[in-house]
Amino acid sequence: MPISRGADYFPETPAANVVRIVPLGGVEEVGRNMVAVDCNGDIFVFDAGFHFKEEDDAPGVDYTLPNTSYLEKNKERVRAVIITHAHLDHIGGIPFVMARFGNPPIYTRNLTSIMIQRRQEEYPDVPKPEIILVEPGQSVTISNTKMKFFPVTHSIPDSMGVSLETPYGNVVLSGDLKLDHEDSIPSEREQKTWGDLSKDKNLFFIADSTNAERDGFSIPEKRVQQTLDEIIKTVSGRLIIGTFASQFERMMSIIESAEKYGKKIITEGRSIKNNLEVAERAGLLKVDKSTMIPAQDISNYPPDKIVILSTGAQGEEFAALMRIATKQHKYIQFTERDTIVLSSSVIPGNEESVQKLKDNLYRNKVTIIHYRSSDVHSTGHGNTGELVWINKQVNAKFFMPGYGYYSMTASHAKAVEQAGRPRESIVLADNGSVIDITDGETLTVHKQKVPAAPLIVDGFTIGNRQEVVMRDRQSLAKDGMFVIIASVNLKTGKLRKSPDIISRGFIYLRESQNLLNEGRLLIKKTIEDSTHNMNPIDLDYVKNNLTDVMAGFLFARTNKAPMVIPVLIGM
């Protein structure tokens, strides 16, 4: 029988003839990626990312993590964590969740391991994970299970996919990926990688869905690098390139082009500096030290010899690009001869901040080149043309779109179905879905799900989302608070003096004297009426009564519902 803990559902350990897949995060959002595969008596975890939380949904929350309750319940069988690549939506949760299910060893590639260790330095009190390096083409046996690793094309080096052997065929996980191609024809390297996988008996395939709502093939990264190379070569005046710090290969390509044309590079933004240091440490970047100069030396070189590599293309208020645009940078000020390249697309939700950035840039009368006007950005995720081609190569018996919002996974499912995959072989999963394959033939999706409500990181606190706390924060953010401080004579129930009132985010007190005067009279009347003939005086009862009365009064007068907080001091 399944194990239950209160309302939680924990299915019993699968039988020897069952392969179980449990997505714990990343199939209802872009981020918080984690998938568990349970077979041969072992559980393997793929990725441990986090998700930046929208402030309007959970004010004050730093980010959310996958719910690991299922792994905690079975931690004696968790053998390893396999990390496909070094982006935070795949590694960000490691310092927070690993200890919850036994700190199993991590298997990953070199650059990813450096990024994990670098992030671990921010959490010195957390035990350092054991990291075992692997390479594409390598096979390892962990406990009872053999798996092999294969290279995939993504926007960060050392990205990989994984193929895990079961007695009934392989479970293949793509990680985030796209195809390297020329005019929609995959490169020889891609054809070899996926062609080798196609020779295996593949049981279940999980693939990236992030760009599944876009048809055709994505722009190859090499075309972006060629475009940027030409811009670096020909632009007159200073060149400022705003991009994601996670775009390792693009940043390295920009530096190589700058060196080729005798230009100097200034890096602006801590994440860019850190990631370039990681690239050097991983042996992926060799740069002449004279190429990199500090911002304070910018005036020592002709403008057409300067390339500034900057964070902030998403319009972040305190990132380098916005600080320069709003004339708040100590050493760099824009001129009309400057050219700005926004080498990134707009992340959904950032439209307003990016528009503000563009407006501020145009106020400086600079020339702007962006992805809509030139091939200066390419996604790290494949469009449907690429995804369908990959799906046909793997040719697994069953398929689950992963890594994306539901609209993305549903679009991915529709694309491969229209390309010929039987509908009954496709699983559209939610976080917490339990998918069992029996004897390699019968696919069952359990009606119940394992706990999947995200864990939250809130300052130093990690735990389940406390709805009452979030509700209070949303209330405070929307209507503010109204604090009443009153001294009550415990013998007579009378107020010792007129109550003090503090308002935050509700009304401006100096402009609301009539409301305050009425409020003070009502507070006095409510307290004294509540304590009439009460012996001994119950201040908790009085507080509750005062809260209800004042909440109704304030709503009637202002049509707002601030949080009313009475502080009664018995004297």
Side-chain angles (χ1 to χ4, degrees):
M1 292 292 292
I3 305 166
S4 64
R5 186 177 65 196
D8 292 341
Y9 169 69
F10 295 98
E12 61 190 2
T13 301
N17 64 335
V18 172
V19 176
R20 174 171 293 164
I21 295 95
V22 185
L24 296 170
V27 292
E28 294 183 55
E29 61 278 310
V30 174
R32 202 165 66 233
N33 293 292
M34 179 177 279
V35 177
V37 177
D38 190 338
C39 64
N40 306 329
D42 302 326
I43 294 176
F44 299 95
V45 180
F46 296 86
D47 294 316
F50 69 28
H51 176 61
F52 287 105
K53 199 65 183 168
E54 291 80 6
E55 192 67 16
D56 56 350
D57 184 37
V61 169
D62 300 314
Y63 26 78
T64 63
L65 307 167
N67 190 313
T68 56
S69 299
Y70 172 75
L71 301 177
E72 294 165 41
K73 195 74 178 175
N74 295 279
K75 66 180 178 182
E76 73 284 352
R77 296 194 299 114
V78 178
R79 306 299 180 211
V81 174
I82 297 90
I83 303 293
T84 58
H85 67 281
H87 284 153
L88 285 172
D89 57 339
H90 292 255
I91 70 169
I94 289 173
F96 306 111
V97 301
M98 292 286 288
R100 301 174 79 97
F101 53 88
N103 271 322
I106 292 173
Y107 288 75
T108 196
R109 295 183 68 185
N110 184 41
L111 176 76
T112 310
S113 75
I114 295 172
M115 293 287 281
I116 291 170
Q117 291 165 16
R118 192 71 173 262
R119 180 162 171 75
Q120 207 73 20
E121 292 170 4
E122 300 175 25
Y123 304 93
D125 297 332
V126 175
K128 290 184 178 179
E130 177 190 359
I131 301 179
I132 299 167
L133 296 183
V134 297
E135 287 298 327
Q138 180 182 350
S139 294
V140 298
T141 299
I142 308 170
S143 185
N144 305 311
T145 303
K146 183 179 179 182
M147 63 184 73
K148 65 180 179 181
F149 311 97
F150 56 93
V152 298
T153 302
H154 189 42
S155 55
I156 190 168
D158 281 4
S159 296
M160 69 177 188
V162 189
S163 180
L164 177 151
E165 287 188 10
T166 82
Y168 308 100
N170 297 348
V171 176
V172 182
L173 299 96
S174 76
D176 286 353
L177 84 170
K178 62 186 292 187
L179 285 179
D180 179 30
H181 66 92
E182 187 74 46
D183 296 328
S184 303
I185 299 173
S187 67
E188 288 184 15
R189 182 176 62 82
E190 299 282 17
Q191 294 195 39
K192 181 179 188 317
T193 295
W194 296 102
D196 289 346
L197 278 170
S198 71
K199 297 171 186 174
D200 297 334
K201 180 183 179 183
N202 295 317
L203 176 67
F204 196 89
F205 183 36
I206 302 173
D208 182 11
S209 305
T210 308
N211 261 3
E213 294 174 286
R214 299 182 184 178
D215 294 334
F217 279 61
S218 62
I219 298 173
E221 179 64 25
K222 62 189 174 188
R223 192 190 306 172
V224 174
Q225 293 176 4
Q226 290 166 357
T227 303
L228 291 172
D229 181 86
E230 186 64 22
I231 291 170
I232 293 168
K233 177 183 177 181
T234 59
V235 75
S236 60
R238 294 183 307 185
L239 178 63
I240 298 91
I241 303 175
T243 191
F244 299 121
S246 59
Q247 292 276 3
F248 274 72
E249 292 186 350
R250 189 171 307 168
M251 292 192 300
M252 293 188 294
S253 170
I254 289 167
I255 292 170
E256 289 169 6
S257 293
E259 283 194 331
K260 181 166 62 172
Y261 302 119
K263 300 195 175 189
K264 303 297 182 184
I265 290 276
I266 295 171
T267 55
E268 281 296 312
R270 185 168 65 94
S271 55
I272 281 181
K273 295 177 194 291
N274 287 345
N275 286 359
L276 289 176
E277 285 178 17
V278 168
E280 287 192 83
R281 186 170 152 193
L284 298 167
L285 175 65
K286 290 184 173 65
V287 58
D288 188 324
K289 295 301 180 186
S290 67
T291 299
M292 315 295 286
I293 65 169
Q296 55 264 40
D297 290 351
I298 192 168
S299 60
N300 296 341
Y301 299 89
D304 60 359
K305 293 297 183 184
I306 294 291
V307 177
I308 299 170
L309 192 54
S310 174
T311 57
Q314 294 301 301
E316 301 95 322
E317 183 180 359
F318 299 110
L321 206 51
M322 185 65 90
R323 286 190 292 111
I324 301 170
T326 54
K327 303 182 180 1
Q328 297 179 52
H329 195 283
K330 187 174 181 181
Y331 301 109
I332 303 171
Q333 290 80 40
F334 286 137
T335 74
E336 293 184 24
R337 290 191 62 209
D338 291 337
T339 298
I340 317 294
V341 176
L342 299 179
S343 184
S344 65
S345 57
V346 180
I347 294 175
N350 288 352
E351 292 86 357
E352 186 174 341
S353 58
V354 171
Q355 186 59 49
K356 287 180 180 177
L357 171 66
K358 288 166 66 178
D359 289 347
N360 280 309
L361 290 174
Y362 276 108
R363 288 181 188 279
N364 288 275
K365 298 180 172 57
V366 296
T367 300
I368 297 180
I369 302 171
H370 53 79
Y371 75 103
R372 293 191 186 278
S373 61
S374 181
D375 291 337
V376 293
H377 176 65
S378 173
T379 175
H381 307 270
N383 292 6
T384 53
E386 296 155 83
L387 301 177
V388 166
W389 184 88
I390 291 169
N391 199 287
K392 287 183 175 179
Q393 296 296 305
V394 176
N395 193 29
K397 190 177 189 72
F398 301 105
F399 170 62
M400 186 191 94
Y403 315 111
Y405 288 102
Y406 193 85
S407 66
M408 299 169 181
T409 57
S411 296
H412 196 169
K414 180 62 68 176
V416 296
E417 182 188 342
Q418 290 175 341
R421 172 171 282 280
R423 177 179 294 185
E424 60 273 14
S425 73
I426 302 170
V427 182
L428 266 174
D430 296 322
N431 293 330
S433 292
V434 179
I435 303 154
D436 283 352
I437 305 167
T438 306
D439 296 323
E441 295 292 333
T442 306
L443 184 142
T444 304
V445 180
H446 292 221
K447 290 182 179 179
Q448 290 178 280
K449 299 179 177 67
V450 301
L455 300 176
I456 64 171
V457 178
D458 188 0
F460 291 118
T461 304
I462 305 167
N464 294 320
R465 178 184 171 120
Q466 299 293 324
E467 289 299 334
V468 65
V469 174
M470 291 302 120
R471 209 163 43 239
D472 284 350
R473 289 184 184 178
Q474 288 165 351
S475 174
L476 286 167
K478 183 180 178 184
D479 289 328
M481 67 179 181
F482 189 86
V483 182
I484 302 160
I485 304 172
S487 302
V488 182
N489 188 316
L490 290 178
K491 292 182 179 179
T492 65
K494 304 293 184 182
L495 291 191
R496 302 290 292 258
K497 63 174 185 174
S498 179
D500 294 323
I501 292 173
I502 300 171
S503 170
R504 293 290 183 269
F506 169 53
I507 55 171
Y508 186 47
L509 297 182
R510 289 184 182 178
E511 296 179 356
S512 307
Q513 290 303 313
N514 289 339
L515 178 69
L516 292 179
N517 291 336
E518 287 182 49
R520 285 193 175 94
L521 291 174
L522 184 57
I523 292 166
K524 183 176 188 297
K525 182 177 187 305
T526 302
I527 291 174
E528 294 183 354
D529 286 353
S530 299
T531 58
H532 184 64
N533 292 330
M534 182 184 285
N535 189 19
I537 289 173
D538 183 350
L539 289 181
D540 286 336
Y541 169 80
V542 179
K543 281 182 191 177
N544 292 336
N545 197 24
L546 181 60
T547 299
D548 292 342
V549 170
M550 290 306 297
F553 165 74
L554 294 173
F555 185 79
R557 290 296 307 274
T558 67
N559 200 33
K560 289 186 176 183
M563 184 177 291
V564 176
I565 305 173
V567 179
L568 301 186
I569 303 167
M571 303 179 75

